[in-house]
Amino acid sequence: MVEKNLDFRSDTTTWPTPEMREAAAKAAVGDMGYGEDPTVNELERVAAEVFGKEAALFCTSGTQGNAVSVLAHTDRGDSFVCEARAHLYTIERGHWSVIGSLIPKLVKGVDGFLPPDDVRVAIGRRRRAGPKTSLLCLENTHLSSGGSPLSPEQMKEDYDVAKEYGLGVHTDGARIFNAAVALGVDVKEIAKGSDTIQACLSKGLAAPVGSVVVGTESLIEKAKYYRGMLGGSMRQAGIIAAPGIIALTKMVDRLAEDHANAKVLAEGLQRLGIELRLPLKTNMLFIDYTGIGWTGEDWSKACERLGWKSRGGAMGTRLVVHYGIEREDIEAFLEGLEKII
Ligand SMILES: Cc1ncc(COP(=O)(O)O)c(C=O)c1O
Protein backbone atom coordinates (compact mmCIF):
# COMPACT_ATOMS: atom_id res chain seq x y z
CA MET A 1 0.00 0.00 0.00
CA VAL A 2 1.29 3.45 -0.94
CA GLU A 3 1.35 5.86 2.00
CA LYS A 4 -0.71 8.91 0.99
CA ASN A 5 1.22 12.15 0.64
CA LEU A 6 -1.23 14.78 -0.55
CA ASP A 7 1.28 17.52 -1.23
CA PHE A 8 1.38 19.35 -4.55
CA ARG A 9 4.27 21.65 -3.66
CA SER A 10 7.10 19.53 -5.02
CA ASP A 11 8.33 16.01 -5.67
CA THR A 12 10.98 16.78 -3.04
CA THR A 13 8.21 16.07 -0.50
CA THR A 14 8.05 12.36 -1.39
CA TRP A 15 8.48 9.84 1.39
CA PRO A 16 10.58 6.69 1.08
CA THR A 17 8.75 3.48 0.16
CA PRO A 18 8.37 0.74 2.81
CA GLU A 19 11.01 -1.25 0.92
CA MET A 20 13.42 1.70 1.14
CA ARG A 21 12.87 2.01 4.88
CA GLU A 22 13.61 -1.67 5.31
CA ALA A 23 16.70 -1.51 3.08
CA ALA A 24 17.97 1.46 5.09
CA ALA A 25 17.53 -0.44 8.35
CA LYS A 26 19.38 -3.48 7.07
CA ALA A 27 22.07 -1.77 4.97
CA ALA A 28 25.63 -3.03 5.24
CA VAL A 29 27.81 -0.08 6.22
CA GLY A 30 31.45 0.97 6.50
CA ASP A 31 33.36 4.24 6.53
CA MET A 32 32.56 5.99 3.27
CA GLY A 33 35.49 8.38 3.83
CA TYR A 34 37.80 5.36 3.54
CA GLY A 35 35.85 4.10 0.51
CA GLU A 36 34.66 1.20 2.65
CA ASP A 37 30.90 1.57 2.71
CA PRO A 38 29.72 -1.37 0.57
CA THR A 39 26.25 0.05 0.03
CA VAL A 40 27.55 3.43 -1.15
CA ASN A 41 29.99 1.62 -3.43
CA GLU A 42 27.15 -0.47 -4.82
CA LEU A 43 24.96 2.60 -5.38
CA GLU A 44 27.80 4.27 -7.30
CA ARG A 45 28.33 1.11 -9.37
CA VAL A 46 24.62 0.87 -10.19
CA ALA A 47 24.41 4.59 -11.06
CA ALA A 48 27.35 4.40 -13.46
CA GLU A 49 25.79 1.36 -15.11
CA VAL A 50 22.31 2.90 -15.41
CA PHE A 51 23.75 5.98 -17.16
CA GLY A 52 26.35 4.10 -19.20
CA LYS A 53 29.18 6.18 -17.70
CA GLU A 54 32.56 5.16 -16.29
CA ALA A 55 32.03 6.24 -12.69
CA ALA A 56 29.61 7.76 -10.20
CA LEU A 57 29.67 9.71 -6.97
CA PHE A 58 27.07 9.75 -4.19
CA CYS A 59 26.36 13.31 -3.04
CA THR A 60 24.25 14.69 -0.23
CA SER A 61 21.95 16.70 -2.51
CA GLY A 62 21.36 17.94 -6.02
CA THR A 63 22.92 21.26 -5.12
CA GLN A 64 26.08 19.58 -3.88
CA GLY A 65 26.16 17.35 -6.96
CA ASN A 66 25.89 20.36 -9.27
CA ALA A 67 28.50 22.31 -7.29
CA VAL A 68 31.13 19.56 -7.33
CA SER A 69 30.48 18.91 -11.03
CA VAL A 70 30.85 22.56 -12.00
CA LEU A 71 34.07 22.77 -9.97
CA ALA A 72 35.41 19.59 -11.58
CA HIS A 73 35.03 21.10 -15.06
CA THR A 74 36.49 24.54 -14.38
CA ASP A 75 39.37 26.61 -13.00
CA ARG A 76 38.82 29.66 -10.82
CA GLY A 77 37.90 32.70 -12.89
CA ASP A 78 36.58 30.71 -15.85
CA SER A 79 33.18 31.39 -17.29
CA PHE A 80 30.38 28.92 -17.98
CA VAL A 81 27.33 29.05 -20.20
CA CYS A 82 23.90 28.20 -18.86
CA GLU A 83 20.22 28.84 -19.36
CA ALA A 84 19.07 32.16 -17.88
CA ARG A 85 16.53 30.53 -15.53
CA ALA A 86 18.51 27.38 -14.77
CA HIS A 87 18.10 26.14 -11.20
CA LEU A 88 21.86 26.03 -10.86
CA TYR A 89 22.08 29.72 -11.70
CA THR A 90 18.99 31.10 -9.94
CA ILE A 91 18.46 28.96 -6.85
CA GLU A 92 21.59 27.26 -5.60
CA ARG A 93 23.01 30.13 -3.54
CA GLY A 94 25.58 30.90 -6.22
CA HIS A 95 28.01 28.11 -5.35
CA TRP A 96 29.62 28.67 -8.76
CA SER A 97 30.46 32.24 -7.69
CA VAL A 98 31.32 31.78 -4.04
CA ILE A 99 33.35 28.60 -4.31
CA GLY A 100 34.35 28.56 -7.96
CA SER A 101 34.82 32.29 -8.69
CA LEU A 102 33.09 31.53 -11.97
CA ILE A 103 31.42 33.97 -14.32
CA PRO A 104 28.07 32.95 -15.84
CA LYS A 105 27.17 33.64 -19.46
CA LEU A 106 23.41 33.35 -19.81
CA VAL A 107 21.44 32.10 -22.79
CA LYS A 108 17.66 32.34 -23.03
CA GLY A 109 16.34 28.87 -23.73
CA VAL A 110 13.32 27.72 -25.72
CA ASP A 111 11.50 25.21 -23.52
CA GLY A 112 14.83 24.68 -21.76
CA PHE A 113 16.73 24.08 -25.00
CA LEU A 114 19.65 26.40 -25.66
CA PRO A 115 19.66 27.35 -29.34
CA PRO A 116 23.10 26.27 -30.62
CA ASP A 117 23.80 29.59 -32.33
CA ASP A 118 23.10 31.44 -29.10
CA VAL A 119 25.47 29.09 -27.27
CA ARG A 120 28.12 29.89 -29.90
CA VAL A 121 27.57 33.62 -29.38
CA ALA A 122 27.80 33.24 -25.60
CA ILE A 123 31.03 31.26 -25.83
CA GLY A 124 32.47 33.62 -28.40
CA ARG A 125 31.77 36.76 -26.43
CA ARG A 126 35.03 38.31 -25.21
CA ARG A 127 36.85 35.16 -26.29
CA ARG A 128 40.09 36.88 -27.23
CA ALA A 129 40.49 38.96 -24.13
CA GLY A 130 37.82 37.72 -21.74
CA PRO A 131 37.78 34.84 -19.29
CA LYS A 132 38.23 31.29 -20.54
CA THR A 133 34.84 29.63 -21.10
CA SER A 134 35.20 26.05 -20.04
CA LEU A 135 31.74 24.65 -19.35
CA LEU A 136 28.23 24.42 -20.74
CA CYS A 137 25.49 23.58 -18.23
CA LEU A 138 22.19 22.08 -19.34
CA GLU A 139 19.09 21.22 -17.29
CA ASN A 140 16.91 18.20 -18.10
CA THR A 141 14.02 18.32 -17.39
CA HIS A 142 14.04 22.10 -17.35
CA LEU A 143 12.11 23.25 -14.32
CA SER A 144 11.25 26.83 -15.27
CA SER A 145 9.83 25.77 -18.62
CA GLY A 146 7.33 23.55 -16.84
CA GLY A 147 9.46 20.41 -16.52
CA SER A 148 10.36 20.23 -20.21
CA PRO A 149 12.39 17.24 -21.33
CA LEU A 150 15.37 17.71 -23.65
CA SER A 151 15.67 14.92 -26.21
CA PRO A 152 18.93 13.09 -26.90
CA GLU A 153 19.06 14.96 -30.24
CA GLN A 154 18.71 18.36 -28.55
CA MET A 155 21.35 17.45 -25.99
CA LYS A 156 23.68 16.35 -28.79
CA GLU A 157 23.23 19.60 -30.69
CA ASP A 158 24.44 21.64 -27.72
CA TYR A 159 27.06 19.04 -26.82
CA ASP A 160 28.55 19.27 -30.32
CA VAL A 161 28.80 23.07 -30.09
CA ALA A 162 30.48 22.77 -26.69
CA LYS A 163 33.01 20.30 -28.09
CA GLU A 164 33.70 22.54 -31.09
CA TYR A 165 35.03 25.09 -28.57
CA GLY A 166 36.64 22.60 -26.19
CA LEU A 167 34.06 23.03 -23.39
CA GLY A 168 32.95 20.37 -20.94
CA VAL A 169 29.21 19.70 -20.57
CA HIS A 170 27.39 19.21 -17.27
CA THR A 171 23.68 18.43 -17.00
CA ASP A 172 21.57 19.20 -13.97
CA GLY A 173 19.44 16.09 -14.30
CA ALA A 174 17.53 16.50 -11.06
CA ARG A 175 14.57 14.99 -12.98
CA ILE A 176 16.38 13.31 -15.86
CA PHE A 177 14.40 10.11 -15.39
CA ASN A 178 11.18 12.07 -15.91
CA ALA A 179 12.68 13.16 -19.23
CA ALA A 180 13.64 9.61 -20.20
CA VAL A 181 10.20 8.24 -19.30
CA ALA A 182 8.32 11.09 -21.03
CA LEU A 183 10.38 10.65 -24.21
CA GLY A 184 10.33 6.85 -24.04
CA VAL A 185 14.13 6.59 -24.31
CA ASP A 186 16.80 4.92 -22.22
CA VAL A 187 18.46 7.46 -19.94
CA LYS A 188 21.80 6.29 -21.43
CA GLU A 189 20.78 7.92 -24.72
CA ILE A 190 20.20 11.26 -23.02
CA ALA A 191 23.40 10.84 -21.01
CA LYS A 192 25.50 10.63 -24.17
CA GLY A 193 25.02 14.38 -24.58
CA SER A 194 26.81 15.26 -21.35
CA ASP A 195 30.18 14.63 -19.71
CA THR A 196 28.73 14.73 -16.20
CA ILE A 197 25.15 14.45 -15.00
CA GLN A 198 23.71 15.12 -11.59
CA ALA A 199 20.58 13.03 -10.96
CA CYS A 200 18.43 13.43 -7.84
CA LEU A 201 17.38 10.27 -6.01
CA SER A 202 15.23 12.26 -3.60
CA LYS A 203 12.61 13.71 -5.94
CA GLY A 204 10.23 11.60 -8.03
CA LEU A 205 12.28 8.48 -7.30
CA ALA A 206 11.29 8.87 -3.62
CA ALA A 207 14.59 8.17 -1.84
CA PRO A 208 14.88 10.25 1.32
CA VAL A 209 18.31 11.77 0.62
CA GLY A 210 20.89 12.27 -2.05
CA SER A 211 21.97 12.58 -5.63
CA VAL A 212 24.44 10.85 -7.87
CA VAL A 213 26.89 12.45 -10.24
CA VAL A 214 27.98 10.27 -13.14
CA GLY A 215 30.74 10.84 -15.67
CA THR A 216 34.25 9.90 -16.70
CA GLU A 217 36.68 8.46 -14.12
CA SER A 218 38.81 11.60 -14.22
CA LEU A 219 35.92 14.07 -13.77
CA ILE A 220 34.42 11.98 -10.98
CA GLU A 221 37.82 11.87 -9.26
CA LYS A 222 37.94 15.68 -9.34
CA ALA A 223 34.32 15.95 -8.21
CA LYS A 224 35.17 13.66 -5.29
CA TYR A 225 37.91 16.03 -4.19
CA TYR A 226 35.40 18.90 -4.10
CA ARG A 227 32.75 16.73 -2.44
CA GLY A 228 35.25 16.28 0.39
CA MET A 229 35.77 20.05 0.52
CA LEU A 230 32.02 20.59 0.81
CA GLY A 231 31.58 18.13 3.63
CA GLY A 232 30.06 15.41 1.51
CA SER A 233 32.46 12.66 2.49
CA MET A 234 30.12 10.93 4.92
CA ARG A 235 30.69 7.93 7.16
CA GLN A 236 28.19 5.03 7.50
CA ALA A 237 26.20 6.47 4.62
CA GLY A 238 25.02 3.04 3.44
CA ILE A 239 21.90 3.74 5.46
CA ILE A 240 20.93 6.56 3.11
CA ALA A 241 22.48 4.99 0.00
CA ALA A 242 20.39 1.79 0.25
CA PRO A 243 17.11 3.58 -0.65
CA GLY A 244 19.01 5.19 -3.55
CA ILE A 245 19.69 1.78 -5.07
CA ILE A 246 15.96 1.02 -4.95
CA ALA A 247 15.26 4.45 -6.45
CA LEU A 248 17.45 3.70 -9.47
CA THR A 249 16.43 0.10 -9.99
CA LYS A 250 12.73 0.04 -9.09
CA MET A 251 11.25 3.53 -9.14
CA VAL A 252 12.00 4.83 -12.62
CA ASP A 253 9.23 3.16 -14.65
CA ARG A 254 6.52 4.25 -12.25
CA LEU A 255 7.20 7.91 -13.12
CA ALA A 256 4.90 7.21 -16.09
CA GLU A 257 2.04 6.98 -13.56
CA ASP A 258 2.89 10.47 -12.29
CA HIS A 259 2.86 11.83 -15.82
CA ALA A 260 -0.50 10.17 -16.54
CA ASN A 261 -1.94 11.45 -13.25
CA ALA A 262 -0.65 14.95 -14.01
CA LYS A 263 -2.54 14.77 -17.31
CA VAL A 264 -5.77 13.76 -15.56
CA LEU A 265 -5.28 16.63 -13.11
CA ALA A 266 -4.59 19.12 -15.93
CA GLU A 267 -7.66 18.07 -17.90
CA GLY A 268 -9.85 18.16 -14.79
CA LEU A 269 -8.65 21.63 -13.82
CA GLN A 270 -9.19 22.94 -17.33
CA ARG A 271 -12.76 21.63 -17.22
CA LEU A 272 -13.23 23.74 -14.09
CA GLY A 273 -11.91 26.86 -15.85
CA ILE A 274 -8.38 26.76 -14.42
CA GLU A 275 -5.83 27.27 -17.18
CA LEU A 276 -2.33 25.94 -17.71
CA ARG A 277 0.29 28.68 -18.02
CA LEU A 278 2.74 26.27 -19.64
CA PRO A 279 2.10 23.12 -21.63
CA LEU A 280 2.20 19.98 -19.49
CA LYS A 281 5.26 17.90 -20.35
CA THR A 282 6.03 15.64 -17.40
CA ASN A 283 4.98 15.72 -13.74
CA MET A 284 4.44 19.43 -13.09
CA LEU A 285 1.62 21.83 -13.86
CA PHE A 286 1.85 25.60 -13.82
CA ILE A 287 -1.71 26.80 -13.37
CA ASP A 288 -3.55 30.12 -13.55
CA TYR A 289 -6.80 30.50 -11.57
CA THR A 290 -7.49 34.14 -12.36
CA GLY A 291 -10.01 33.03 -15.00
CA ILE A 292 -12.35 31.82 -12.23
CA GLY A 293 -11.66 34.97 -10.20
CA TRP A 294 -9.56 33.24 -7.55
CA THR A 295 -6.62 34.65 -5.61
CA GLY A 296 -3.75 32.70 -4.10
CA GLU A 297 -5.56 32.75 -0.78
CA ASP A 298 -8.66 31.17 -2.34
CA TRP A 299 -6.53 28.41 -3.83
CA SER A 300 -4.58 27.72 -0.64
CA LYS A 301 -7.75 27.63 1.46
CA ALA A 302 -9.52 25.30 -0.94
CA CYS A 303 -6.55 22.92 -0.92
CA GLU A 304 -6.38 23.02 2.84
CA ARG A 305 -10.08 22.18 3.10
CA LEU A 306 -9.51 19.20 0.83
CA GLY A 307 -6.54 18.02 2.88
CA TRP A 308 -3.82 19.00 0.37
CA LYS A 309 -0.71 21.11 0.72
CA SER A 310 -0.31 23.70 -2.02
CA ARG A 311 0.98 27.26 -1.83
CA GLY A 312 -1.14 29.66 -3.87
CA GLY A 313 0.73 32.42 -5.71
CA ALA A 314 -1.02 35.67 -6.65
CA MET A 315 -2.20 34.49 -10.07
CA GLY A 316 -1.35 30.83 -10.11
CA THR A 317 0.88 28.14 -8.72
CA ARG A 318 2.90 25.04 -9.49
CA LEU A 319 1.48 21.58 -8.83
CA VAL A 320 3.81 18.60 -8.84
CA VAL A 321 2.49 15.04 -9.05
CA HIS A 322 4.59 12.33 -7.42
CA TYR A 323 4.78 9.05 -5.50
CA GLY A 324 2.18 9.13 -2.71
CA ILE A 325 -0.43 10.73 -4.98
CA GLU A 326 -2.59 8.22 -6.81
CA ARG A 327 -5.27 8.46 -9.46
CA GLU A 328 -8.08 8.18 -6.92
CA ASP A 329 -6.55 11.07 -4.95
CA ILE A 330 -6.52 13.29 -8.03
CA GLU A 331 -10.11 12.36 -8.81
CA ALA A 332 -11.23 13.08 -5.24
CA PHE A 333 -9.36 16.39 -5.32
CA LEU A 334 -11.07 17.45 -8.57
CA GLU A 335 -14.49 16.45 -7.23
CA GLY A 336 -13.93 18.42 -4.02
CA LEU A 337 -12.60 21.42 -5.90
CA GLU A 338 -15.61 21.48 -8.20
CA LYS A 339 -17.93 21.66 -5.19
CA ILE A 340 -15.94 24.52 -3.66
CA ILE A 341 -15.87 26.47 -6.92
C1 LIG B 1 16.21 21.38 -11.40
C2 LIG B 1 16.79 21.21 -10.03
N1 LIG B 1 18.12 21.11 -9.90
C3 LIG B 1 18.71 20.94 -8.71
C4 LIG B 1 17.97 20.89 -7.55
C5 LIG B 1 18.67 20.80 -6.24
O1 LIG B 1 18.42 19.62 -5.56
P1 LIG B 1 18.52 19.58 -3.95
O2 LIG B 1 17.27 20.21 -3.43
O3 LIG B 1 18.62 18.11 -3.64
O4 LIG B 1 19.74 20.32 -3.57
C6 LIG B 1 16.56 21.00 -7.63
C7 LIG B 1 15.74 20.96 -6.41
O5 LIG B 1 14.56 21.08 -6.40
C8 LIG B 1 15.97 21.16 -8.91
O6 LIG B 1 14.64 21.28 -9.04
Side-chain angles (χ1 to χ4, degrees):
M1 251 266 292
V2 178
E3 204 179 349
K4 281 201 192 308
N5 183 357
L6 306 184
D7 193 331
F8 278 136
R9 290 171 303 169
S10 177
D11 47 12
T12 59
T13 66
T14 50
W15 295 324
T17 66
E19 189 184 358
M20 286 177 177
R21 291 180 189 268
E22 204 181 317
K26 292 185 178 156
V29 294
D31 193 318
M32 176 185 163
Y34 288 103
E36 288 174 5
D37 188 296
T39 311
V40 171
N41 294 344
E42 176 61 5
L43 170 62
E44 292 177 346
R45 188 196 66 73
V46 169
E49 189 178 287
V50 165
F51 282 91
K53 296 287 188 194
E54 287 173 14
L57 192 70
F58 182 40
C59 292
T60 56
S61 64
T63 302
Q64 187 185 69
N66 283 335
V68 301
S69 302
V70 166
L71 292 168
H73 280 280
T74 54
D75 295 319
R76 285 177 80 78
D78 283 0
S79 72
F80 68 101
V81 178
C82 81
E83 208 282 327
R85 292 171 305 153
H87 192 279
L88 186 153
Y89 173 67
T90 57
I91 314 269
E92 299 180 11
R93 313 284 194 214
H95 50 67
W96 39 270
S97 164
V98 179
I99 313 164
S101 299
L102 299 173
I103 302 156
K105 286 179 168 180
L106 304 179
V107 170
K108 195 170 179 318
V110 180
D111 287 344
F113 175 58
L114 279 60
D117 283 344
D118 296 351
V119 174
R120 273 194 191 90
V121 170
I123 297 170
R125 210 180 295 149
R126 298 195 307 265
R127 223 171 151 238
R128 280 175 52 215
K132 167 165 68 80
T133 306
S134 47
L135 175 65
L136 169 67
C137 291
L138 304 175
E139 185 177 307
N140 195 6
T141 59
H142 188 257
L143 182 65
S144 302
S145 316
S148 281
L150 297 177
S151 68
E153 294 75 24
Q154 288 176 311
M155 297 274 297
K156 188 172 180 324
E157 272 194 68
D158 282 343
Y159 182 84
D160 287 348
V161 174
K163 294 301 151 184
E164 215 180 284
Y165 292 86
L167 273 64
V169 180
H170 170 67
T171 298
D172 175 359
R175 297 181 181 81
I176 198 157
F177 290 104
N178 290 90
V181 167
L183 297 166
V185 298
D186 191 316
V187 77
K188 287 188 186 75
E189 290 305 310
I190 304 181
K192 282 181 187 161
S194 199
D195 301 312
T196 52
I197 297 157
Q198 179 281 119
C200 288
L201 305 170
S202 64
K203 301 203 162 58
L205 302 187
V209 189
S211 274
V212 285
V213 175
V214 296
T216 59
E217 295 271 7
S218 66
L219 282 165
I220 293 299
E221 206 44 50
K222 281 189 193 163
K224 194 172 186 175
Y225 175 88
Y226 290 113
R227 183 187 68 181
M229 185 187 283
L230 300 181
S233 180
M234 297 173 279
R235 300 305 176 191
Q236 286 70 42
I239 290 185
I240 52 171
I245 296 173
I246 296 169
L248 288 176
T249 55
K250 299 194 176 169
M251 297 297 284
V252 172
D253 292 344
R254 68 151 301 287
L255 293 174
E257 274 176 48
D258 296 340
H259 298 176
N261 286 340
K263 192 158 178 270
V264 170
L265 178 60
E267 287 167 357
L269 290 173
Q270 284 169 316
R271 271 197 302 276
L272 299 179
I274 294 172
E275 295 302 327
L276 293 192
R277 280 193 285 129
L278 295 169
L280 172 67
K281 300 277 182 61
T282 49
N283 66 331
M284 45 183 78
L285 287 71
F286 289 74
I287 61 164
D288 177 346
Y289 30 69
T290 52
I292 58 164
W294 274 23
T295 62
E297 212 185 326
D298 294 325
W299 176 262
S300 301
K301 274 193 188 150
C303 289
E304 206 181 315
R305 263 178 72 185
L306 298 171
W308 287 76
K309 287 186 183 159
S310 177
R311 272 193 304 254
M315 292 165 65
T317 190
R318 180 185 80 174
L319 307 178
V320 186
V321 178
H322 51 75
Y323 175 74
I325 300 176
E326 297 195 86
R327 180 68 58 95
E328 65 195 32
D329 303 319
I330 301 277
E331 283 164 358
F333 174 77
L334 288 168
E335 234 171 77
L337 195 64
E338 184 169 12
K339 283 186 193 138
I340 294 175
I341 290 173

